[in-house]
Amino acid sequence: MAYEGILLGMGNPLLDISAVVDEDFLKKYGIKLNDAILAEDKHLPMYEEMTKKYEVEFIAGGATQNSIRVAQWMLQIPGATSYMGCIGKDKFGEEMKKNSKLAGVNVHYYEDGTAPTGTCAVCVVGGERSLVANLSAANCYKSEHLKKPENWALVEKAKYFYIAGFFLTVSPESIQLFAEHAAAKNKVFMMNLSAPFICEFFRDVQEKALPYMDYVFGNETEARTFSKVHGWETDNVEEIALKISQWPKASGTHKRITVITQGADPVVVAEDGKLKKFPVILLPKEKLVDTNGAGDAFVGGFLSQLVQEKPIEECVRAGCYAANVIIQRSGCTYPEKPSFN
């Protein structure tokens, strides 16, 4: 099977500015632990304050880009994955390009001359992370870039598409182009619920893309928010996963599969009216560095097996393996080679 360009991702490429902070810092900026939000004006000074006050690390991030990089690392096949998104023409953007090339991902960035490369503050307290994203250039992605022949060629070549829900705030029309192409060509289109605010405030664009989704990923908090927004009156993650999987589909080629992670609790998979639960690899608290990128890594591991047409059990096992590696390191980083067998 030819793996070149088999998996294509599109999203917000962000440079993570990661630091272990304290409760007071979170309070000062009105940040909740384990949340992911877009920066408002009140948050803008925090990036500067973090770099002055704490020991920060700069790590190439952005949810979709993390998942694609992890899938690439797990596959160990050069050029198996591609990625698109928008960066600025600046040193952070150059850093991002260098980082992605080293990771073996074929990146086709749209470079915007008017805005700086997007950043994401990763505030870590007690190993738990909270994200505040200042999209900047990432917010400038245009579907015209996608339509250029050299970029659309990546779409034609790919058999699997993955987009984090965060991109719904940027270019729903690009998502629709991916989705409709996948449905027309019987390819696999996948998205992530990504954050409670996406389910709450971007409900319309999320619902427009949902019929095209062959796989829906998310965590328990996002699933419960989705349920609340749709008036389902249940907090039961298994019920919610089933309901999402039964949402009407645009194409009947693939039945929708919903995959919900729950931190240290089992992964819930809903498929064809049936539920499966898979335990995760438990990690002693002292080995936990931070949870930043854990969900992204899970998806990356999962996708690395899915594109090889492995059974769902193997996909989940690889997802759990990748997440376990990432939470023992700072940010979404990994050793040179995976030891997954």
Short mmCIF file of all heavy atoms in Angstrom, two decimals, residues 233-286:
data_model
loop_
_atom_site.label_atom_id
_atom_site.label_comp_id
_atom_site.label_asym_id
_atom_site.label_seq_id
_atom_site.Cartn_x
_atom_site.Cartn_y
_atom_site.Cartn_z
N GLU A 233 -30.08 16.15 27.76
CA GLU A 233 -30.35 15.88 29.18
C GLU A 233 -29.70 14.60 29.70
O GLU A 233 -30.31 13.83 30.42
CB GLU A 233 -31.87 15.87 29.42
CG GLU A 233 -32.46 17.27 29.25
CD GLU A 233 -33.97 17.32 29.43
OE1 GLU A 233 -34.56 16.29 29.76
OE2 GLU A 233 -34.52 18.43 29.25
N THR A 234 -28.47 14.38 29.28
CA THR A 234 -27.71 13.27 29.86
C THR A 234 -26.25 13.68 29.99
O THR A 234 -25.72 14.39 29.14
CB THR A 234 -27.82 11.96 29.04
OG1 THR A 234 -26.99 10.96 29.65
CG2 THR A 234 -27.37 12.15 27.59
N ASP A 235 -25.64 13.21 31.08
CA ASP A 235 -24.22 13.45 31.31
C ASP A 235 -23.43 12.16 31.10
O ASP A 235 -22.23 12.11 31.29
CB ASP A 235 -24.01 13.93 32.76
CG ASP A 235 -23.75 15.43 32.80
OD1 ASP A 235 -23.61 16.03 31.72
OD2 ASP A 235 -23.68 15.99 33.92
N ASN A 236 -24.17 11.11 30.75
CA ASN A 236 -23.56 9.79 30.58
C ASN A 236 -22.77 9.75 29.27
O ASN A 236 -23.34 9.82 28.18
CB ASN A 236 -24.67 8.73 30.59
CG ASN A 236 -24.11 7.33 30.44
OD1 ASN A 236 -23.31 7.04 29.56
ND2 ASN A 236 -24.53 6.45 31.32
N VAL A 237 -21.45 9.65 29.40
CA VAL A 237 -20.55 9.73 28.24
C VAL A 237 -20.85 8.63 27.21
O VAL A 237 -20.79 8.87 26.00
CB VAL A 237 -19.07 9.70 28.71
CG1 VAL A 237 -18.12 9.58 27.52
CG2 VAL A 237 -18.76 10.97 29.50
N GLU A 238 -21.21 7.44 27.70
CA GLU A 238 -21.48 6.33 26.77
C GLU A 238 -22.73 6.62 25.93
O GLU A 238 -22.74 6.42 24.72
CB GLU A 238 -21.64 5.03 27.56
CG GLU A 238 -20.34 4.66 28.28
CD GLU A 238 -20.50 3.51 29.26
OE1 GLU A 238 -21.41 2.68 29.06
OE2 GLU A 238 -19.71 3.44 30.22
N GLU A 239 -23.76 7.12 26.59
CA GLU A 239 -25.00 7.49 25.89
C GLU A 239 -24.73 8.57 24.85
O GLU A 239 -25.22 8.52 23.72
CB GLU A 239 -26.01 8.06 26.90
CG GLU A 239 -27.10 7.11 27.32
CD GLU A 239 -28.02 7.80 28.34
OE1 GLU A 239 -28.80 8.68 27.93
OE2 GLU A 239 -27.92 7.47 29.53
N ILE A 240 -23.94 9.57 25.27
CA ILE A 240 -23.64 10.70 24.38
C ILE A 240 -22.86 10.22 23.15
O ILE A 240 -23.16 10.60 22.02
CB ILE A 240 -22.86 11.81 25.14
CG1 ILE A 240 -23.70 12.36 26.29
CG2 ILE A 240 -22.47 12.95 24.19
CD1 ILE A 240 -22.92 13.18 27.32
N ALA A 241 -21.87 9.34 23.40
CA ALA A 241 -21.06 8.80 22.29
C ALA A 241 -21.96 8.08 21.28
O ALA A 241 -21.82 8.25 20.07
CB ALA A 241 -19.99 7.86 22.83
N LEU A 242 -22.91 7.30 21.79
CA LEU A 242 -23.85 6.59 20.90
C LEU A 242 -24.69 7.56 20.10
O LEU A 242 -24.86 7.40 18.89
CB LEU A 242 -24.77 5.69 21.73
CG LEU A 242 -24.26 4.27 22.01
CD1 LEU A 242 -25.22 3.54 22.94
CD2 LEU A 242 -24.05 3.47 20.72
N LYS A 243 -25.19 8.60 20.79
CA LYS A 243 -26.05 9.58 20.12
C LYS A 243 -25.30 10.31 19.00
O LYS A 243 -25.83 10.54 17.92
CB LYS A 243 -26.62 10.58 21.13
CG LYS A 243 -27.91 10.10 21.83
CD LYS A 243 -28.28 11.06 22.95
CE LYS A 243 -29.69 11.58 22.93
NZ LYS A 243 -30.79 10.70 22.71
N ILE A 244 -24.04 10.67 19.29
CA ILE A 244 -23.24 11.36 18.26
C ILE A 244 -23.02 10.43 17.06
O ILE A 244 -23.10 10.83 15.91
CB ILE A 244 -21.89 11.86 18.84
CG1 ILE A 244 -22.13 12.96 19.87
CG2 ILE A 244 -20.98 12.38 17.72
CD1 ILE A 244 -20.89 13.43 20.62
N SER A 245 -22.76 9.14 17.35
CA SER A 245 -22.49 8.20 16.26
C SER A 245 -23.74 7.98 15.39
O SER A 245 -23.63 7.62 14.23
CB SER A 245 -21.96 6.86 16.80
OG SER A 245 -22.98 6.18 17.49
N GLN A 246 -24.92 8.22 15.98
CA GLN A 246 -26.17 7.99 15.24
C GLN A 246 -26.71 9.25 14.54
O GLN A 246 -27.74 9.20 13.89
CB GLN A 246 -27.22 7.42 16.21
CG GLN A 246 -26.91 5.96 16.56
CD GLN A 246 -27.54 5.50 17.86
OE1 GLN A 246 -28.06 6.30 18.64
NE2 GLN A 246 -27.49 4.19 18.12
N TRP A 247 -26.00 10.35 14.66
CA TRP A 247 -26.37 11.60 13.97
C TRP A 247 -26.39 11.30 12.45
O TRP A 247 -25.50 10.60 11.96
CB TRP A 247 -25.31 12.65 14.30
CG TRP A 247 -25.67 14.07 13.95
CD1 TRP A 247 -25.64 14.63 12.72
CD2 TRP A 247 -26.09 15.10 14.85
NE1 TRP A 247 -26.01 15.96 12.79
CE2 TRP A 247 -26.30 16.27 14.10
CE3 TRP A 247 -26.31 15.16 16.24
CZ2 TRP A 247 -26.70 17.49 14.65
CZ3 TRP A 247 -26.72 16.37 16.79
CH2 TRP A 247 -26.91 17.52 16.00
N PRO A 248 -27.36 11.84 11.71
CA PRO A 248 -27.45 11.52 10.26
C PRO A 248 -26.14 11.80 9.50
O PRO A 248 -25.41 12.71 9.84
CB PRO A 248 -28.56 12.47 9.76
CG PRO A 248 -29.37 12.77 10.97
CD PRO A 248 -28.44 12.74 12.14
N LYS A 249 -25.90 10.96 8.48
CA LYS A 249 -24.66 11.08 7.72
C LYS A 249 -24.89 11.50 6.27
O LYS A 249 -25.89 11.15 5.67
CB LYS A 249 -23.90 9.74 7.73
CG LYS A 249 -23.06 9.56 8.96
CD LYS A 249 -22.03 8.46 8.81
CE LYS A 249 -20.67 9.01 8.49
NZ LYS A 249 -20.19 8.79 7.18
N ALA A 250 -23.91 12.24 5.73
CA ALA A 250 -24.00 12.73 4.35
C ALA A 250 -23.76 11.60 3.36
O ALA A 250 -24.30 11.57 2.27
CB ALA A 250 -22.99 13.84 4.13
N SER A 251 -22.90 10.65 3.76
CA SER A 251 -22.57 9.54 2.87
C SER A 251 -22.69 8.24 3.65
O SER A 251 -22.27 8.16 4.80
CB SER A 251 -21.14 9.71 2.33
OG SER A 251 -20.53 8.44 2.14
N GLY A 252 -23.24 7.23 3.01
CA GLY A 252 -23.46 5.96 3.72
C GLY A 252 -22.30 4.99 3.63
O GLY A 252 -22.39 3.87 4.13
N THR A 253 -21.20 5.42 3.01
CA THR A 253 -20.08 4.49 2.81
C THR A 253 -19.52 3.98 4.14
O THR A 253 -19.28 2.80 4.31
CB THR A 253 -18.93 5.18 2.03
OG1 THR A 253 -19.49 5.80 0.89
CG2 THR A 253 -17.88 4.19 1.60
N HIS A 254 -19.30 4.90 5.08
CA HIS A 254 -18.76 4.49 6.38
C HIS A 254 -19.79 4.83 7.45
O HIS A 254 -20.42 5.87 7.40
CB HIS A 254 -17.47 5.27 6.71
CG HIS A 254 -16.47 5.29 5.59
ND1 HIS A 254 -15.69 4.21 5.28
CD2 HIS A 254 -16.15 6.27 4.69
CE1 HIS A 254 -14.92 4.53 4.25
NE2 HIS A 254 -15.18 5.77 3.87
N LYS A 255 -19.92 3.94 8.44
CA LYS A 255 -20.74 4.28 9.60
C LYS A 255 -19.90 5.16 10.52
O LYS A 255 -18.70 4.95 10.63
CB LYS A 255 -21.15 3.01 10.34
CG LYS A 255 -22.21 2.19 9.59
CD LYS A 255 -22.78 1.12 10.51
CE LYS A 255 -24.06 0.55 9.95
NZ LYS A 255 -23.81 -0.40 8.85
N ARG A 256 -20.54 6.14 11.16
CA ARG A 256 -19.76 7.02 12.03
C ARG A 256 -19.33 6.31 13.31
O ARG A 256 -20.11 5.59 13.93
CB ARG A 256 -20.53 8.29 12.39
CG ARG A 256 -19.68 9.24 13.26
CD ARG A 256 -20.37 10.53 13.64
NE ARG A 256 -20.83 11.26 12.45
CZ ARG A 256 -22.10 11.36 12.10
NH1 ARG A 256 -23.04 10.83 12.84
NH2 ARG A 256 -22.44 12.02 11.02
N ILE A 257 -18.09 6.55 13.70
CA ILE A 257 -17.54 6.00 14.94
C ILE A 257 -17.17 7.17 15.85
O ILE A 257 -16.50 8.11 15.42
CB ILE A 257 -16.32 5.10 14.65
CG1 ILE A 257 -16.75 3.90 13.81
CG2 ILE A 257 -15.64 4.66 15.94
CD1 ILE A 257 -15.63 2.99 13.34
N THR A 258 -17.64 7.13 17.10
CA THR A 258 -17.32 8.18 18.07
C THR A 258 -16.32 7.63 19.08
O THR A 258 -16.50 6.53 19.60
CB THR A 258 -18.59 8.65 18.82
OG1 THR A 258 -19.61 8.91 17.88
CG2 THR A 258 -18.32 9.90 19.63
N VAL A 259 -15.27 8.38 19.31
CA VAL A 259 -14.20 7.96 20.23
C VAL A 259 -14.02 9.04 21.30
O VAL A 259 -13.59 10.16 20.99
CB VAL A 259 -12.87 7.74 19.47
CG1 VAL A 259 -11.79 7.20 20.42
CG2 VAL A 259 -13.07 6.79 18.29
N ILE A 260 -14.38 8.72 22.54
CA ILE A 260 -14.29 9.70 23.62
C ILE A 260 -13.27 9.25 24.67
O ILE A 260 -13.38 8.15 25.22
CB ILE A 260 -15.67 9.93 24.31
CG1 ILE A 260 -16.77 10.28 23.27
CG2 ILE A 260 -15.57 11.00 25.40
CD1 ILE A 260 -16.63 11.62 22.58
N THR A 261 -12.29 10.09 24.93
CA THR A 261 -11.31 9.80 25.98
C THR A 261 -11.78 10.43 27.29
O THR A 261 -12.51 11.42 27.28
CB THR A 261 -9.91 10.35 25.63
OG1 THR A 261 -10.03 11.77 25.43
CG2 THR A 261 -9.36 9.71 24.35
N GLN A 262 -11.35 9.82 28.42
CA GLN A 262 -11.79 10.31 29.73
C GLN A 262 -10.62 10.35 30.72
O GLN A 262 -10.72 9.82 31.82
CB GLN A 262 -12.87 9.40 30.31
CG GLN A 262 -14.02 9.07 29.37
CD GLN A 262 -15.10 8.27 30.07
OE1 GLN A 262 -15.94 8.83 30.76
NE2 GLN A 262 -15.05 6.95 29.93
N GLY A 263 -9.51 10.96 30.28
CA GLY A 263 -8.35 11.02 31.18
C GLY A 263 -7.88 9.63 31.54
O GLY A 263 -7.58 8.81 30.67
N ALA A 264 -7.87 9.33 32.84
CA ALA A 264 -7.39 8.02 33.31
C ALA A 264 -8.46 6.93 33.21
O ALA A 264 -8.18 5.75 33.38
CB ALA A 264 -6.90 8.14 34.75
N ASP A 265 -9.70 7.33 32.92
CA ASP A 265 -10.79 6.35 32.77
C ASP A 265 -10.80 5.76 31.36
O ASP A 265 -10.21 6.32 30.45
CB ASP A 265 -12.14 7.01 33.10
CG ASP A 265 -12.25 7.38 34.58
OD1 ASP A 265 -11.67 6.65 35.40
OD2 ASP A 265 -12.87 8.41 34.90
N PRO A 266 -11.52 4.64 31.16
CA PRO A 266 -11.48 3.98 29.85
C PRO A 266 -11.95 4.85 28.67
O PRO A 266 -12.78 5.74 28.83
CB PRO A 266 -12.43 2.79 30.02
CG PRO A 266 -12.44 2.52 31.48
CD PRO A 266 -12.29 3.86 32.14
N VAL A 267 -11.38 4.55 27.51
CA VAL A 267 -11.78 5.20 26.26
C VAL A 267 -13.10 4.55 25.81
O VAL A 267 -13.24 3.33 25.82
CB VAL A 267 -10.70 4.98 25.16
CG1 VAL A 267 -11.14 5.59 23.83
CG2 VAL A 267 -9.37 5.55 25.61
N VAL A 268 -14.07 5.39 25.44
CA VAL A 268 -15.38 4.91 25.01
C VAL A 268 -15.46 4.99 23.48
O VAL A 268 -15.19 6.03 22.90
CB VAL A 268 -16.51 5.77 25.63
CG1 VAL A 268 -17.88 5.39 25.06
CG2 VAL A 268 -16.51 5.63 27.15
N VAL A 269 -15.82 3.86 22.85
CA VAL A 269 -15.98 3.83 21.40
C VAL A 269 -17.41 3.40 21.07
O VAL A 269 -17.86 2.33 21.51
CB VAL A 269 -14.97 2.86 20.73
CG1 VAL A 269 -15.20 2.77 19.23
CG2 VAL A 269 -13.53 3.30 21.01
N ALA A 270 -18.11 4.26 20.32
CA ALA A 270 -19.48 3.92 19.90
C ALA A 270 -19.49 3.70 18.39
O ALA A 270 -19.03 4.55 17.63
CB ALA A 270 -20.43 5.05 20.26
N GLU A 271 -19.98 2.52 18.00
CA GLU A 271 -19.98 2.16 16.58
C GLU A 271 -21.17 1.26 16.31
O GLU A 271 -21.37 0.26 17.00
CB GLU A 271 -18.66 1.41 16.27
CG GLU A 271 -18.55 0.88 14.88
CD GLU A 271 -17.28 0.06 14.66
OE1 GLU A 271 -16.57 -0.26 15.63
OE2 GLU A 271 -17.03 -0.25 13.50
N ASP A 272 -21.97 1.64 15.31
CA ASP A 272 -23.06 0.78 14.86
C ASP A 272 -24.00 0.39 16.01
O ASP A 272 -24.37 -0.78 16.15
CB ASP A 272 -22.45 -0.47 14.20
CG ASP A 272 -23.39 -1.05 13.15
OD1 ASP A 272 -24.41 -0.39 12.87
OD2 ASP A 272 -23.11 -2.16 12.65
N GLY A 273 -24.32 1.36 16.88
CA GLY A 273 -25.25 1.10 17.98
C GLY A 273 -24.65 0.30 19.13
O GLY A 273 -25.34 -0.04 20.09
N LYS A 274 -23.36 0.01 19.03
CA LYS A 274 -22.71 -0.78 20.10
C LYS A 274 -21.61 0.04 20.77
O LYS A 274 -21.00 0.90 20.16
CB LYS A 274 -22.10 -2.07 19.53
CG LYS A 274 -23.13 -3.05 18.99
CD LYS A 274 -22.46 -4.36 18.66
CE LYS A 274 -22.74 -4.99 17.33
NZ LYS A 274 -23.46 -4.32 16.30
N LEU A 275 -21.35 -0.30 22.03
CA LEU A 275 -20.33 0.40 22.81
C LEU A 275 -19.19 -0.53 23.16
O LEU A 275 -19.41 -1.69 23.50
CB LEU A 275 -20.92 0.91 24.11
CG LEU A 275 -21.62 2.27 24.07
CD1 LEU A 275 -22.35 2.49 25.37
CD2 LEU A 275 -20.61 3.39 23.85
N LYS A 276 -17.97 0.02 23.10
CA LYS A 276 -16.81 -0.73 23.59
C LYS A 276 -16.05 0.21 24.51
O LYS A 276 -16.00 1.42 24.26
CB LYS A 276 -15.91 -1.15 22.44
CG LYS A 276 -16.45 -2.27 21.60
CD LYS A 276 -15.46 -2.63 20.49
CE LYS A 276 -16.06 -3.68 19.56
NZ LYS A 276 -15.39 -3.74 18.26
N LYS A 277 -15.42 -0.37 25.54
CA LYS A 277 -14.59 0.44 26.43
C LYS A 277 -13.20 -0.17 26.50
O LYS A 277 -13.05 -1.38 26.59
CB LYS A 277 -15.22 0.54 27.83
CG LYS A 277 -16.50 1.36 27.79
CD LYS A 277 -16.92 1.95 29.12
CE LYS A 277 -17.10 0.94 30.22
NZ LYS A 277 -17.89 1.48 31.33
N PHE A 278 -12.21 0.71 26.45
CA PHE A 278 -10.82 0.25 26.48
C PHE A 278 -10.06 0.96 27.59
O PHE A 278 -10.03 2.19 27.63
CB PHE A 278 -10.13 0.57 25.14
CG PHE A 278 -10.79 -0.07 23.95
CD1 PHE A 278 -11.75 0.63 23.22
CD2 PHE A 278 -10.47 -1.35 23.57
CE1 PHE A 278 -12.37 0.05 22.11
CE2 PHE A 278 -11.07 -1.95 22.46
CZ PHE A 278 -12.03 -1.24 21.73
N PRO A 279 -9.45 0.19 28.51
CA PRO A 279 -8.69 0.84 29.59
C PRO A 279 -7.46 1.56 29.04
O PRO A 279 -6.91 1.15 28.02
CB PRO A 279 -8.29 -0.33 30.49
CG PRO A 279 -8.36 -1.54 29.64
CD PRO A 279 -9.38 -1.28 28.57
N VAL A 280 -7.06 2.65 29.70
CA VAL A 280 -5.85 3.35 29.29
C VAL A 280 -4.67 2.83 30.10
O VAL A 280 -4.86 2.09 31.07
CB VAL A 280 -5.97 4.89 29.45
CG1 VAL A 280 -7.15 5.43 28.66
CG2 VAL A 280 -6.10 5.28 30.91
N ILE A 281 -3.46 3.21 29.71
CA ILE A 281 -2.27 2.82 30.46
C ILE A 281 -2.16 3.78 31.64
O ILE A 281 -1.99 4.99 31.44
CB ILE A 281 -1.00 2.93 29.57
CG1 ILE A 281 -1.20 2.21 28.22
CG2 ILE A 281 0.23 2.39 30.30
CD1 ILE A 281 -0.26 2.66 27.12
N LEU A 282 -2.29 3.28 32.83
CA LEU A 282 -2.25 4.16 34.00
C LEU A 282 -0.81 4.57 34.31
O LEU A 282 0.13 3.79 34.15
CB LEU A 282 -2.91 3.50 35.21
CG LEU A 282 -4.42 3.29 35.05
CD1 LEU A 282 -4.99 2.49 36.21
CD2 LEU A 282 -5.16 4.62 34.90
N LEU A 283 -0.66 5.81 34.73
CA LEU A 283 0.66 6.37 34.99
C LEU A 283 0.73 6.86 36.43
O LEU A 283 -0.15 7.59 36.88
CB LEU A 283 0.89 7.54 34.02
CG LEU A 283 2.29 8.17 34.01
CD1 LEU A 283 3.27 7.23 33.32
CD2 LEU A 283 2.26 9.51 33.28
N PRO A 284 1.77 6.46 37.18
CA PRO A 284 1.89 7.00 38.53
C PRO A 284 2.03 8.52 38.49
O PRO A 284 2.71 9.06 37.60
CB PRO A 284 3.17 6.36 39.08
CG PRO A 284 3.72 5.49 38.01
CD PRO A 284 2.84 5.54 36.81
N LYS A 285 1.37 9.21 39.41
CA LYS A 285 1.30 10.68 39.42
C LYS A 285 2.69 11.33 39.32
O LYS A 285 2.87 12.34 38.65
CB LYS A 285 0.59 11.13 40.72
CG LYS A 285 0.25 12.62 40.79
CD LYS A 285 -1.02 12.99 40.04
CE LYS A 285 -1.34 14.46 40.23
NZ LYS A 285 -1.84 15.14 39.07
N GLU A 286 3.68 10.70 39.96
CA GLU A 286 5.02 11.34 39.95
C GLU A 286 5.68 11.32 38.57
O GLU A 286 6.63 12.04 38.31
CB GLU A 286 5.94 10.70 41.01
CG GLU A 286 6.29 9.23 40.82
CD GLU A 286 5.25 8.27 41.40
OE1 GLU A 286 4.15 8.73 41.80
OE2 GLU A 286 5.55 7.07 41.48
#
